[in-house]
Amino acid sequence: MGGMFDPVHDGHLQLAQQVKQLCDLDEILLVPCGLPVHRPRAHTPSAARVAMLELACRGKEWLHVDPRECLSNGPSYTYTSLTAIRAGQRASIFHLLLGLDAFLSLPTWYRWLDLFDLAHIVVVARPGYELTQATLDPVLQLELEKRRVRCIEDCKDSAAGKILVLNVSTPAISSTEIRDMLRNQRDISQFLNKDVATYIRTHKLYQQRGVKFEIN
Ligand code: ATP
Ligand code: MG
């Protein structure tokens, strides 16, 4: 599962937890984006985003941070990372986890159609986003019609290429809203892992508008 995780919040963690359970996955990798191609840069140094993710993973032996994109100087592409992750892991079946907003933006991603050769795609509903003809890019809609399966069992007879849409419920929160709340000195503890909230307070992160960092 990729993302900016700026910062990681309970929406991300619920997504991971529920997909792990429903799809019976062995482990989930959280892959923070280093240098995004399609969106503004992070508001915190990569090292801080990785550190917060590590805190959020503590005690969950099935949840790990993969910092490869943050350690690279080049732009972050899911296609490149997934290819490398596949090459380095013993697992034979991979699932790319996407919230619905990320899925809807898929046709803008580098080599997006080739992602179907690397993994199944599991899409999780996200409050505020809908999967309709009006929101779907026509090419993505064709892929969805061709590849959609109704349950995880239908993903098991092939190594990649299916799309499973899960209607799980996750908290209606985003990192953008959390950053705004922090700037306005509002309490964010209900949306974050408690160690992540402490890290943000200790390091005085997200206090100013518009402070951006490059890779580190
Ligand atoms: P930002 O507001 O900065 O874009 P975000 O909350 O959208 O942050 P990202 O790091 O952009 O978080 O998202 C990483 C992944 O997690 C994406 O696939 C996104 O769809 C998913 N995701 C984030 N928040 C939720 C949520 N509340 N429910 C379901 N999926 C979520
Ligand atoms: Mg987002």
Side-chain angles (χ1 to χ4, degrees), residues 38-113:
H38 294 299
R39 55 174 291 165
R41 287 178 183 168
H43 294 74
T44 40
S46 296
R49 290 181 295 123
V50 171
M52 289 188 279
L53 281 165
E54 271 163 1
L55 290 171
C57 291
R58 262 213 312 231
K60 300 185 179 78
E61 72 297 336
W62 52 272
L63 191 61
H64 306 280
V65 189
D66 184 322
R68 72 184 62 229
E69 293 184 359
C70 290
L71 300 174
S72 142
N73 288 328
S76 301
Y77 295 117
T78 299
Y79 173 81
T80 312
S81 302
L82 197 48
T83 302
I85 289 169
R86 272 179 66 99
Q89 294 258 342
R90 285 191 310 275
S92 52
I93 304 185
F94 289 78
H95 302 75
L96 176 63
L97 313 189
L98 300 175
L100 181 51
D101 59 313
F103 179 69
L104 294 173
S105 75
L106 203 57
T108 64
W109 294 22
Y110 173 66
R111 295 186 67 167
W112 72 279
L113 284 165

Side-chain angles (χ1 to χ4, degrees), residues 185-203:
Q185 284 156 20
R186 287 174 48 207
D187 178 27
I188 38 71
S189 51
Q190 62 178 307
F191 306 114
L192 298 184
N193 166 290
K194 119 173 132 14
D195 295 333
V196 172
T198 305
Y199 185 97
I200 290 173
R201 249 195 326 273
T202 309
H203 294 270

Side-chain angles (χ1 to χ4, degrees), residues 4-5 9 12 39 99 101 126 170-171 173-176 179:
M4 293 305 288
F5 303 110
H9 55 68
H12 302 126
R39 55 174 291 165
D101 59 313
R126 182 161 188 186
T170 56
I173 189 68
S174 68
S175 299
T176 301
R179 293 192 300 269

Side-chain angles (χ1 to χ4, degrees), residues 16 21 24 32 35 47 78 89 136 141 159 168 171-172 210:
Q21 244 160 30
D24 193 23
L35 192 58
T78 299
Q89 294 258 342
L136 262 176
Q141 185 168 4
V168 298

